Amino acid sequence: VENDETCSHSTYNMEMAINWILERVEESASTNEDLMIRWRQGLLWEPIARLALKQTAGKGRLGRTWVSTPHETLTFSVAYPFKKPISALSGLSLACGLAIIRGISQAMNLSLSELHQHRLCLKWPNDILLNKHKLAGMLIEGGQLKPEDPTWLIIGIGVNISDTQHIDQEIGRPISSLSHILPNHDLDPDWLWLSLIKELGTVIEQFERGSFADFHDEWNQWDAYKNEICQIHQNDKVELEGINKGVDSEGCLLLETSTGIKKIISGDVSLRSNS
């Protein structure tokens, strides 16, 4: 790809479930949009992972921007051709959240139980939190251009690595970073990236063979707001309030309300705790 630095990372010994094409660039407006353009033009052939040291127009959910700065954040996207239709991929973003946790565990040489003790957790439908502040986020785009085509999904991921004070000020709310877990740990961003795409590959392969039901119990163990009173907001209005009872086998959020259990489907909603 023109002006791209293709990365082989031959010095890292890591077996991948998916043989990703690896690309790294100094700067991009959005790695998701880079791969979305290729998809629309029919230029995606094999699974690919594309990292930018800096993204100038990174995208988050609900039209938000993702602030990206070199060495303080890790921002990348992967594109994968699923054999299943989009209707059979419910809960994929939740499963990918588990992959991010597993990748962090591997990159930081910390067990999952140790990360749990550090209050790393998941927020439905696609955020990773540390002490209830956002550590990482995800945006999934794509689909099928023709009925006989594979379902190409582009999964964009941003992870805060180090000091985030200026980012806090820029977006107007406190966030967290991996440096808050081990303040004196010198984390290699390349190793983190490879660990994350390795675990994403493992999760994607398992999802292809099964469904979110394979990840359901594990996801509920990491739920940041399990058994708390939560509100579902849409367009800054409270749509629903109830006790968060986790997710079901399809990845729908279950809220216990005064009129019974309500299923919330992933979409243009945000989850906020009353606590």
Side-chain angles (χ1 to χ4, degrees):
V1 180
E2 188 177 358
N3 295 327
D4 280 356
E5 177 190 350
T6 302
C7 307
S8 62
H9 289 287
S10 56
T11 56
Y12 294 93
N13 183 18
M14 182 180 292
E15 291 187 8
M16 301 267 184
I18 293 173
N19 186 24
W20 302 100
I21 295 172
L22 302 182
E23 295 179 352
R24 178 169 56 184
V25 293
E26 290 292 321
E27 184 174 308
S28 168
S30 162
T31 54
N32 251 44
E33 190 58 28
D34 292 343
L35 297 181
M36 284 288 288
I37 289 171
R38 292 189 211 173
W39 168 62
R40 295 187 194 106
Q41 294 176 346
L43 298 177
L44 289 181
W45 307 102
E46 297 181 72
I48 186 170
R50 180 175 173 84
L51 177 146
L53 295 181
K54 179 181 180 180
Q55 293 197 47
T56 57
K59 297 186 292 183
R61 288 185 66 243
L62 312 182
R64 301 187 182 105
T65 58
W66 184 275
V67 179
S68 169
T69 54
H71 314 300
E72 294 180 356
T73 57
L74 182 75
T75 51
F76 68 97
S77 301
V78 300
Y80 182 82
F82 286 88
K83 299 178 181 67
K84 296 180 176 183
I86 194 77
S87 58
L89 295 172
S90 174
L92 177 65
S93 67
L94 281 71
C96 288
L98 290 170
I100 294 173
I101 286 179
R102 296 176 191 175
I104 290 171
S105 171
Q106 178 171 329
M108 301 190 77
N109 197 27
L110 291 172
S111 68
L112 294 176
S113 61
E114 286 175 310
L115 289 179
H116 212 284
Q117 291 168 10
H118 280 284
R119 299 187 66 195
L120 188 70
C121 50
L122 294 169
K123 175 188 172 185
W124 183 91
N126 50 9
D127 285 342
I128 294 85
L129 308 182
L130 182 65
N131 292 318
K132 296 291 180 76
H133 293 150
K134 189 166 182 174
L135 171 75
M138 186 184 330
L139 175 67
I140 300 182
E141 302 177 284
Q144 286 176 288
L145 294 175
K146 293 179 289 188
E148 64 273 17
D149 284 355
T151 303
W152 276 97
L153 290 187
I154 289 87
I155 305 169
I157 293 171
V159 182
N160 299 319
I161 296 177
S162 61
D163 181 39
T164 58
Q165 185 174 359
H166 71 96
I167 299 179
D168 294 357
Q169 295 169 352
E170 190 168 341
I171 66 175
R173 64 181 182 276
I175 59 176
S176 195
S177 72
L178 293 177
S179 62
H180 295 163
I181 297 177
L182 294 176
N184 298 318
H185 184 70
D186 188 16
L187 181 62
D188 181 346
D190 282 342
W191 181 243
L192 174 62
W193 182 41
L194 292 175
S195 298
L196 291 173
I197 61 175
K198 172 182 179 290
E199 296 301 331
L200 281 167
T202 300
V203 163
I204 286 171
E205 290 264 290
Q206 186 176 351
F207 208 104
E208 277 273 59
R209 294 192 301 268
S211 68
F212 178 70
D214 300 328
F215 304 92
H216 164 253
D217 291 340
E218 183 182 356
W219 196 94
N220 280 325
Q221 293 171 8
W222 292 92
D223 188 351
Y225 296 111
K226 188 74 175 287
N227 295 321
E228 292 188 19
I229 297 175
C230 294
Q231 296 176 339
I232 298 297
H233 289 242
Q234 189 162 15
N235 300 324
D236 293 325
K237 293 181 180 178
V238 178
E239 294 288 328
L240 203 60
E241 181 174 293
I243 298 173
N244 175 9
K245 306 307 289 186
V247 298
D248 67 10
S249 61
E250 295 181 340
C252 297
L253 180 69
L254 301 176
L255 277 191
E256 184 180 325
T257 72
S258 57
T259 57
I261 296 289
K262 304 293 183 184
K263 284 188 177 185
I264 314 300
I265 299 172
S266 179
D268 268 7
V269 295
S270 59
L271 180 67
R272 304 177 190 175
S273 171
N274 270 353
S275 62

